[in-house]
Amino acid sequence: MKDILAKRLLKCRKETGLSRFKVAVQCGITEHSYQNYEMADQEPLISILMRIAEFYNVSIDYLVGLTDDPTPYPQRPE
């Protein structure tokens, strides 16, 4: 999973044209942590993965390689 996640994080970031620092700030994590996820040195906690998926407007399933469709799931009413 780490390799797929790393590749998809890099792909999403390149598509947005943002730096690692800007993505990290928007997701409430350090640039070093985000770099570790993108380099497959570390896996994020699910709470962080949720923030990253929401930021990129993709599903977690897409980020971890369970689907090739990046479309996020509709939000459930609270």
Side-chain angles (χ1 to χ4, degrees):
M1 177 184 94
K2 279 197 306 187
D3 291 335
I4 292 172
L5 175 62
K7 287 176 186 174
R8 298 234 167 136
L9 288 176
L10 179 61
K11 181 178 189 252
C12 287
R13 186 172 62 80
K14 294 294 183 181
E15 287 175 355
T16 63
L18 297 174
S19 68
R20 286 180 180 149
F21 176 77
K22 289 185 179 184
V23 173
V25 167
Q26 291 296 316
C27 295
I29 58 177
T30 66
E31 181 181 7
H32 183 70
S33 291
Y34 187 83
Q35 178 180 333
N36 284 339
Y37 307 148
E38 207 174 86
M39 301 293 288
D41 292 333
Q42 192 176 10
E43 291 180 357
L45 297 172
I46 189 69
S47 59
I48 295 170
L49 192 58
M50 289 171 62
R51 282 185 271 173
I52 294 170
E54 186 175 351
F55 174 75
Y56 284 131
N57 197 35
V58 298
S59 70
I60 291 174
D61 287 355
Y62 171 74
L63 289 178
V64 299
L66 294 176
T67 182
D68 291 329
D69 181 5
T71 307
Y73 297 112
Q75 296 290 323
R76 289 195 290 179
E78 294 184 23

